[in-house]
Amino acid sequence: MKNSFFLLFLLACSCNYFQPKKKPQSIARVGKNYLYKSDILTLVPAGTSKQDSILLVRDFIDRWASQKLLIEAAEKNLSNTKKITYNALIKQYKVDLYTSAYIEDVVKNTVDTIVNASELKKYYNENKENFKTNGPLVRLRFINLSKNNPRFETIKSIFFNYTKNDKNFWKTYALQSKSFAMNDTVWVDMSQVYIKLPFVTPDNRDEFIVAGKRIEKEVKNDVYLVKITNVIDKNQISPYDYIKPTLKEVILNRRKLELIKKFEKDIINDAIKNNDYEIYK
């Protein structure tokens, strides 16, 4: 009897001995991995209720445990061939990530980001055939008024015969409109036209979107006054003003690529000069 009791005592002690002890400030454990209070200090946004905070923390702990258990299972059960392959990919990914981040910093601090107008114009003239329109472009002006507006006829007359001298008039009466756009020197694509002029659709577009056309269209209790200034069809050379932002990005990207090539060449040459790089024959 005494022997049996002593054996049970040893078994109980053994179980407690091999059970990993909770580390100070730890809130969870998976195998030899511990999650600490410091790991979740910024997890819960300020003002979150106690109940939501508990759910947020518990979900984070469960996901942390799941990842630890899965990686342990993967390391035990994946074949050596797969592990060798994946480790090589991980190593290469680190190289790519570090080098691309470093080059990005170098380029960011070195590249000239100023593109003057003459350079933009020169690049456009030399490469305009590469910048074709993906769809029709339109220059227009419009105003959306209530058909019961007491000054409707006056507004209509000035709208269709608009000049720069009418700016003060529009400062007063544009506020009476539901929507308007008077700058007809800006090119817009058809997606914007469909939004601003809901009576225009892909099916009836050719009826309304014609250069020089004047439109007076009643829609429920509103009246749209529209003047189409100009239209460029799909697959035509994009206007300089419309493509200008894209031209700047293209030129800057070209500068960056040239700078990267020069940087990579210089770093090789410097290494050769300093005897840090050599190819054995």
Side-chain angles (χ1 to χ4, degrees):
M1 183 71 177
K2 290 183 178 180
N3 291 335
S4 298
F5 178 79
F6 183 68
L7 180 60
L8 289 172
F9 176 76
L10 287 176
L11 288 172
C13 290
S14 298
C15 290
N16 291 330
Y17 179 79
F18 289 108
Q19 181 72 25
K21 292 182 180 180
K22 179 181 177 181
K23 292 188 177 183
Q25 299 298 312
S26 63
I27 57 176
R29 179 188 64 81
V30 171
K32 296 181 180 179
N33 300 289
Y34 288 84
L35 184 68
Y36 296 93
K37 289 182 181 179
S38 58
D39 295 323
I40 63 169
L41 286 179
T42 59
L43 179 64
V44 180
T48 306
S49 67
K50 181 178 179 181
Q51 184 177 1
D52 289 341
S53 298
I54 293 172
L55 291 174
L56 192 62
V57 171
R58 182 54 189 268
D59 182 61
F60 179 83
I61 294 173
D62 285 344
R63 282 187 286 110
W64 172 84
S66 175
Q67 289 178 345
K68 295 299 182 185
L69 292 168
L70 283 171
I71 190 65
E72 287 182 4
E75 288 175 344
K76 289 178 182 178
N77 294 293
L78 283 177
S79 67
N80 287 332
T81 301
K82 283 189 176 181
K83 284 193 280 189
I84 291 172
T85 301
Y86 293 147
N87 284 333
L89 290 173
I90 292 169
K91 185 176 180 181
Q92 185 59 48
Y93 178 70
K94 180 180 178 180
V95 171
D96 294 340
L97 191 64
Y98 274 51
T99 55
S100 62
Y102 175 55
I103 290 174
E104 184 178 339
D105 285 343
V106 171
V107 170
K108 184 178 179 180
N109 295 322
T110 309
V111 69
D112 181 7
T113 58
I114 298 175
V115 183
N116 58 48
S118 60
E119 187 176 4
L120 284 170
K121 200 73 175 180
K122 181 175 182 294
Y123 189 85
Y124 174 75
N125 290 331
E126 292 175 351
N127 299 277
K128 61 174 66 176
E129 290 295 332
N130 296 328
F131 298 102
K132 298 292 184 70
T133 56
N134 294 322
L137 298 178
V138 186
R139 291 198 310 184
L140 57 78
R141 62 177 184 265
F142 81 92
I143 188 168
N144 176 14
L145 298 165
S146 168
K147 67 179 180 180
N148 297 320
N149 190 301
R151 299 293 303 275
F152 178 79
E153 289 301 326
T154 301
I155 293 172
K156 174 182 173 181
S157 175
I158 293 178
F159 173 83
F160 284 124
N161 299 286
Y162 178 75
T163 66
K164 292 182 179 179
N165 295 329
D166 298 320
K167 283 185 177 181
N168 290 331
F169 177 87
W170 287 116
K171 287 180 181 179
T172 301
Y173 288 97
L175 296 176
Q176 298 181 11
S177 68
K178 296 186 177 181
S179 61
F180 71 96
M182 297 300 295
N183 188 358
D184 57 3
T185 64
V186 177
W187 291 97
V188 296
D189 60 40
M190 283 304 303
S191 63
Q192 294 298 310
V193 176
Y194 295 142
I195 293 172
K196 299 297 184 181
L197 307 178
F199 61 90
V200 179
T201 68
D203 293 332
N204 66 18
R205 182 185 69 195
D206 293 340
E207 175 187 348
F208 293 107
I209 308 303
V210 179
K213 189 175 181 66
R214 298 184 175 193
I215 302 168
E216 180 179 343
K217 181 68 174 179
E218 186 172 326
V219 180
K220 295 183 180 180
N221 295 320
D222 297 339
V223 177
Y224 286 86
L225 302 176
V226 186
K227 173 66 183 295
I228 308 297
T229 305
N230 207 345
V231 180
I232 293 179
D233 292 328
K234 181 179 179 181
N235 292 326
Q236 300 301 307
I237 294 174
S238 296
Y240 171 75
D241 290 338
Y242 180 77
I243 205 71
K244 187 176 178 181
T246 302
L247 293 174
K248 183 176 179 180
E249 288 301 314
V250 170
I251 291 173
L252 287 177
N253 286 334
R254 187 178 65 173
R255 287 181 185 175
K256 290 176 182 178
L257 289 174
E258 290 173 352
L259 186 59
I260 289 171
K261 288 181 181 179
K262 183 179 182 303
F263 177 70
E264 291 176 342
K265 184 177 180 180
D266 288 346
I267 203 170
I268 288 290
N269 290 337
D270 288 343
I272 294 172
K273 183 179 178 181
N274 297 325
N275 293 321
D276 290 328
Y277 171 49
E278 56 183 320
I279 299 176
Y280 300 115
K281 296 181 180 180

